[in-house]
Amino acid sequence: MELHLSEKETIPTRKHKLIEYANGPSLEEINGTIEVPKNLNFWKTLFAYSGPGALVAVGYMDPGNWSTSITGGQNYQYMLMSVILISSLIAMLLQYMAAKLGIVSQMDLAQAIRARTSKSLGIVLWILTEFAIMATDIAEVIGAAIALYLLFGIPLVISVFITVFDVLLLLLLTKIGFRKIEAIVVCLILVILFVFVYQVALSNPDWGGVIKGLVPTAATFSTARSVNGMTPLSGSLGIIGATVMPHNLYLHSAISQTRKIDHSDEADVARTVKFASWDSNIQLTAAFFVNALLLIMGVAVFKSGAVRDPSFFGLYHALSDTSMLSNGILINVAKSGVLSALFAIALLASGQNSTITGTLTGQVIMEGFVHMRMPLWLRRLVTRLISVIPVLICVALTSGKSAIDEHTALNDLMNNSQVFLAFALPFSMLPLLMMTDSAAEMGHRFKNSLWLKVCGWVSVIGLTVLNLIGLPDQIAAFFGSNPTATQTDLANVIAWLLIAAVLALLVWTIYDLHRGNQRYAAKLAAKAKESAE
């Protein structure tokens, strides 16, 4: 089986410049740098391959997930538990495909798309994906800034600026090696998991209701009943939108290549795919439990309907307000301030984890789509400075208003920023599915099996349709929690124009990818014919 980097020749990278040309291996500094010993038992081999899955799982438990899961639990009890489960299963499927693409083709998703599409489409998709990463970064800025404010009393404006200096943390991490970065991320995930396991264990939830909620019903996606401005459908879309995010697919296709592989040995490639899948599924299972625990918190930790402020501020204060908690054990622990402090610590850990993965993803898409490379610290500094602008504007506009108005505005900004994910998601999922379905790209052994293909297309089409269906409500949310009829009509017009633009761009993308794949298949056939002669 012939493996490839690109149809174009690789041009040597110019050194000692902030912005350089890059058309080599994905994340070249760490690509293939981690040795994996052969002939180890299953568990030791799994440990050697473990790490990339943790970096991917971070995106499934970032600050953007917290509000949707907890609010969903508050409003609809355990009904939306099935949505978390379905989202997690789809995530496992897509992340497996992303890792397989990187390992087998030796290209990350951005490189694969760019190698099979025109330059103009590549630039359009790069800009779209950059917006999606920045939207995710806004949630990280808000989460980290609020955590600093809650833990140390640092004013919000100063806390927002402090988040810019996490670039110094990134500089430190780049010096210690990728394997240690993976270990740090795993430790932070364990901190988050411990905090929520502890809080949920104290709350003694209805486990029968939890298990029953894992089975979806017609009511799960209903629009008939609205609670606090949320219908089951909008709550489901919020959870799905915050869970399955495009940048994770680009990231996984790149960092799955950090292990050293003999690509001339098909068995070694197959072994790497197998253990990358195990690593990813284990870590995403942990992410599922974190998101499930968040929803259970909304149901079991607080009294039903007690939390009127769903922002991080409101949740923090609710964990120290004994009148809002659901049982005596929680009330006694809350008096010490432990519950609220642990919540803020977990929030800070989540934000720092996302800092690491967001920066790596940004570098992947920049190198893959437009063949540009800049130092990770500079990349982080630029994107973070852009991302803090809307947060600072939001804080400034609400500075003269009540605390609850400020909290609500920040929470709305975080939720509304996720609208870009609805645009970008189809442009990562569909190319990923088309690439991994192709024997020319993956070889007959590694292309998707029939059941993977069916599950993949159902998932991709289903998620795309749900995201587009939810777009009018997401646009309307920019006008506040109670938009007027005129604003709702305007939101619908804007949404349908955007949907038309998304569909047109999708057609362009699919057409370009199909033609590019045909050209590559013809090239392989011509080479095979020449060899036979």
Side-chain angles (χ1 to χ4, degrees):
M1 179 182 64
E2 180 179 350
L3 303 173
H4 55 282
L5 282 173
S6 172
E7 290 178 355
K8 300 180 181 179
E9 294 182 0
T10 299
I11 299 176
T13 303
R14 296 191 299 271
K15 304 296 182 182
H16 311 301
K17 292 186 177 181
L18 284 179
I19 299 178
E20 303 171 336
Y21 183 87
N23 193 22
S26 182
L27 295 176
E28 191 168 5
E29 297 83 358
I30 57 176
N31 190 291
T33 57
I34 300 175
E35 295 273 359
V36 180
K38 303 292 192 295
N39 303 318
L40 297 176
N41 64 36
F42 175 86
W43 295 108
K44 288 182 179 179
T45 305
L46 178 59
F47 178 76
Y49 280 102
S50 295
L55 271 71
V56 169
V58 164
Y60 293 91
M61 57 181 88
D62 73 348
N65 293 77
W66 292 36
S67 178
T68 55
S69 294
I70 294 177
T71 306
Q74 270 278 291
N75 292 340
Y76 293 104
Q77 301 296 293
Y78 300 110
M79 181 194 295
L80 302 185
M81 186 70 72
S82 59
V83 179
I84 295 176
L85 177 61
I86 292 169
S87 299
S88 298
L89 292 174
I90 293 174
M92 289 179 185
L93 179 67
L94 294 174
Q95 296 300 161
Y96 163 72
M97 292 180 185
K100 183 172 67 170
L101 175 71
I103 294 165
V104 176
S105 72
Q106 302 177 66
M107 294 188 291
D108 60 55
L109 181 57
Q111 289 173 327
I113 294 173
R114 180 64 188 88
R116 301 287 173 261
T117 57
S118 62
K119 182 178 179 180
S120 55
L121 179 59
I123 292 173
V124 171
L125 294 180
W126 170 58
I127 293 171
L128 186 65
T129 311
E130 288 283 8
F131 275 124
I133 290 176
M134 288 177 191
T136 305
D137 208 32
I138 288 174
E140 295 163 16
V141 170
I142 293 173
I146 291 175
L148 290 171
Y149 169 79
L150 296 174
L151 286 170
F152 307 110
I154 302 172
L156 268 179
V157 172
I158 298 175
S159 294
V160 169
F161 278 112
I162 289 175
T163 66
V164 175
F165 292 99
D166 67 9
V167 69
L168 300 176
L169 171 65
L170 192 67
L171 271 174
L172 174 64
L173 292 177
T174 57
K175 304 297 182 185
I176 67 174
F178 193 73
R179 192 67 171 147
K180 293 185 177 67
I181 291 176
E182 292 173 344
I184 290 170
V185 169
V186 169
C187 290
L188 290 173
I189 289 174
L190 291 175
V191 168
I192 298 167
L193 188 59
F194 166 77
V195 168
F196 294 132
V197 166
Y198 175 71
Q199 295 194 351
V200 168
L202 291 178
S203 68
N204 190 27
D206 174 13
W207 293 111
V210 172
I211 295 171
K212 185 179 178 182
L214 293 173
V215 180
T217 64
T220 306
F221 299 99
S222 168
T223 58
R225 184 163 64 99
S226 177
V227 179
N228 296 326
M230 174 191 284
T231 65
L233 176 62
S234 63
S236 297
L237 289 173
I239 290 172
I240 291 169
T243 301
V244 185
M245 292 186 288
H247 71 275
N248 275 328
L249 304 178
Y250 292 99
L251 177 65
H252 205 182
S253 63
I255 59 177
S256 63
Q257 301 178 55
T258 54
R259 271 51 181 177
K260 194 170 183 178
I261 308 167
D262 180 4
H263 282 91
S264 64
D265 181 358
E266 196 172 85
D268 194 28
V269 176
R271 183 180 74 143
T272 305
V273 171
K274 171 186 172 182
F275 282 99
S277 177
W278 271 97
D279 171 44
S280 174
N281 289 340
I282 289 170
Q283 304 291 353
L284 289 175
T285 299
F288 161 73
F289 280 113
V290 168
N291 286 318
L293 290 169
L294 284 165
L295 188 140
I296 293 170
M297 274 186 66
V299 181
V301 172
F302 309 111
K303 291 179 181 178
S304 181
V307 182
R308 297 299 179 186
D309 180 1
S311 71
F312 295 138
F313 297 99
L315 295 172
Y316 175 86
H317 291 302
L319 286 167
S320 57
D321 185 346
T322 57
S323 67
M324 291 190 179
L325 301 178
S326 61
N327 66 42
I329 297 175
L330 282 171
I331 290 170
N332 288 331
V333 177
K335 290 176 181 177
S336 67
V338 168
L339 292 181
S340 54
L342 286 175
F343 178 83
I345 290 169
L347 182 59
L348 187 60
S350 175
Q352 292 312 303
N353 257 348
S354 301
T355 288
I356 299 168
T357 58
T359 306
L360 288 173
T361 308
Q363 193 64 33
V364 167
I365 66 164
M366 181 179 286
E367 290 183 16
F369 279 124
V370 292
H371 303 315
M372 282 171 47
R373 176 189 294 128
M374 61 175 62
L376 287 178
W377 66 266
L378 180 59
R379 163 80 203 188
R380 185 59 182 174
L381 191 61
V382 171
T383 54
R384 181 48 63 95
L385 285 172
I386 294 172
S387 299
V388 302
I389 292 172
V391 182
L392 289 173
I393 291 173
C394 184
V395 172
L397 290 176
T398 57
S399 60
K401 299 182 179 179
S402 66
I404 188 68
D405 287 335
E406 184 181 72
H407 300 170
T408 301
L410 282 172
N411 202 54
D412 288 344
L413 172 62
M414 182 176 64
N415 292 333
N416 292 338
S417 68
Q418 306 303 297
V419 71
F420 289 107
L421 301 181
F423 298 137
L425 192 56
F427 300 100
S428 56
M429 292 191 302
L430 277 171
L432 175 64
L433 193 53
M434 290 179 67
M435 292 282 184
T436 53
D437 279 348
S438 168
E441 301 291 347
M442 305 297 292
H444 289 286
R445 178 171 180 177
F446 296 106
K447 73 172 185 175
N448 293 334
S449 62
L450 178 61
W451 78 269
L452 273 177
K453 187 180 296 188
V454 171
C455 291
W457 280 105
V458 169
S459 301
V460 167
I461 293 172
L463 283 179
T464 301
V465 169
L466 283 173
N467 272 289
L468 294 182
I469 287 174
L471 201 53
D473 287 339
Q474 288 181 302
I475 300 297
F478 281 90
F479 296 107
S481 56
N482 295 300
T484 64
T486 303
Q487 290 172 334
T488 301
D489 291 340
L490 177 59
N492 287 331
V493 171
I494 294 171
W496 282 109
L497 289 174
L498 291 174
I499 289 171
V502 167
L503 293 176
L505 189 54
L506 272 177
V507 170
W508 183 14
T509 303
I510 293 170
Y511 175 75
D512 255 22
L513 284 170
H514 180 66
R515 291 197 61 186
N517 193 59
Q518 283 185 322
R519 287 194 301 268
Y520 182 66
K523 185 178 179 181
L524 286 182
K527 280 187 177 181
K529 186 177 180 181
E530 285 177 11
S531 300
E533 293 173 352

